[in-house]
């Protein structure tokens, strides 16, 4: 699908859900995509991109930021605490706050720098042992702890289990966000972003539908 097709689908889903036009932000997931593919999307005017790894983003984006204005980078992959400083310096938002140790690291860096990226808490809505994220039952307490550190927590993120109906997980995340007065919901990917919009997504993370399938040798 072309970028214009994706944006049209988002607009249609917003209208179907009686949501204001422009209330959903499209994150173009550029992880492991070629420079040419990313440049093609930039040339179409898109400026919001998601990366999974700090090191990969550091190697890709400085050159693009010299050529294109107003690029906004979001980290949507897991973050090691020893990469936290580099992450807060590079990204405008981090969607994967998932443990108290990382929250404390962000708080220390925010105090030192006088600034902090927008933070979203990753919730393991499927309670999958192999997946990162705060458990749903622990989310309220974790939000309170992060707020007590004066962290700019604005929302929640989830990646539903592939074998389960995504809508159940989107509904759960929306309920948790509403209960904690959080405005941002990062949920929905190439195959299900329209469903996510119906349940209140404010960020959708779309990769293959924009760029094509990731190169097999780098996947």
């Amino acid at each position: 699908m072309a970028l214009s097709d994706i944006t049209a689908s988002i607009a249609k889903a917003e209208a179907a859900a009686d949501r204001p036009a422009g209330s959903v932000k499209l994150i173009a997931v550029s992880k492991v995509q070629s420079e040419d593919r990313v440049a093609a999307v930039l040339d179409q005017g898109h400026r919001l991109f998601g990366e999974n790894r700090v090191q990969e983003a550091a190697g890709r984006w400085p050159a693009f930021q010299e050529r294109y204005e107003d690029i906004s980078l979001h980290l949507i992959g897991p973050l090691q605490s020893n990469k936290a400083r580099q992450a807060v310096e590079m990204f405008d938002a981090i969607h994967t706050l998932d443990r108290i140790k990382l929250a404390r690291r962000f708080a220390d860096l925010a105090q030192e720098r006088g600034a902090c990226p927008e933070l979203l808490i990753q919730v393991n809505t499927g309670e999958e042992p192999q997946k990162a994220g705060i458990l749903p039952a622990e989310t309220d307490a974790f939000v309170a702890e992060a707020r007590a550190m004066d962290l700019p927590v604005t929302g929640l993120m989830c990646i539903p289990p592939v074998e389960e109906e995504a809508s159940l997980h989107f509904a759960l995340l929306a309920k948790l966000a509403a209960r904690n007065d959080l405005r941002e919901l990062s949920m929905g990917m190439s195959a299900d972003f329209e469903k996510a919009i119906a349940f209140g997504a404010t960020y959708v993370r779309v990769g293959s539908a924009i760029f094509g399938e990731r190169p097999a040798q780098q996947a």
Side-chain angles (χ1 to χ4, degrees):
M1 295 176 72
L3 177 64
S4 59
D5 294 328
I6 300 293
T7 56
S9 294
I10 289 172
K12 184 177 179 180
E14 286 173 336
D18 291 324
R19 296 182 56 190
S23 58
V24 179
K25 298 169 281 283
L26 170 61
I27 300 174
V29 180
S30 47
K31 61 180 182 180
V32 308
Q33 296 293 344
S34 70
E35 304 297 296
D36 288 346
R37 285 182 175 183
V38 176
V41 174
L42 283 161
D43 287 338
Q44 292 177 71
H46 195 72
R47 292 293 182 267
L48 175 55
F49 291 83
E51 290 281 350
N52 263 42
R53 295 184 176 92
V54 174
Q55 188 170 352
E56 182 183 348
R60 181 203 302 279
W61 286 102
F64 280 135
Q65 288 169 322
E66 289 183 4
R67 292 166 51 194
Y68 300 89
E69 294 183 351
D70 302 323
I71 290 173
S72 181
L73 297 179
H74 288 209
L75 182 66
I76 58 173
L79 178 62
Q80 296 173 315
S81 297
N82 63 0
K83 296 282 179 57
R85 179 182 295 276
Q86 191 176 11
V88 301
E89 292 172 351
M90 184 184 315
F91 292 98
D92 299 290
I94 296 171
H95 292 226
T96 50
L97 175 55
D98 63 355
R99 58 197 185 279
I100 198 64
K101 178 182 177 182
L102 187 58
R104 292 191 182 110
R105 182 68 177 133
F106 283 148
D108 290 343
L109 289 166
Q111 187 170 28
E112 175 188 321
R113 300 173 70 245
C116 185
E118 173 187 359
L119 298 175
L120 286 82
I121 293 168
Q122 182 171 353
V123 181
N124 186 351
T125 54
E127 302 187 27
E128 297 172 274
Q130 79 282 10
K131 190 175 287 183
I134 302 298
L135 294 175
E138 298 170 359
T139 300
D140 294 352
F142 189 83
V143 171
E145 283 189 87
R147 283 176 165 159
M149 299 179 202
D150 291 326
L151 289 174
V153 175
T154 62
L156 305 176
M157 182 271 255
C158 76
I159 305 172
V162 294
E163 71 281 1
E164 294 185 16
E165 171 53 53
S167 296
L168 299 174
H169 297 270
F170 298 155
L172 173 58
L173 199 73
K175 180 180 178 181
L176 291 170
R179 193 161 72 203
N180 286 282
D181 195 26
L182 294 167
R183 68 177 186 272
E184 303 289 5
L185 284 169
S186 175
M187 58 189 194
M189 296 186 284
S190 290
D192 56 19
F193 67 86
E194 290 155 315
K195 283 184 181 178
I197 291 169
F199 283 91
T202 60
Y203 287 114
V204 293
R205 311 181 303 270
V206 179
S208 59
I210 296 173
F211 295 101
E213 292 301 322
R214 284 177 274 164
Q217 68 271 23
Q218 296 181 6

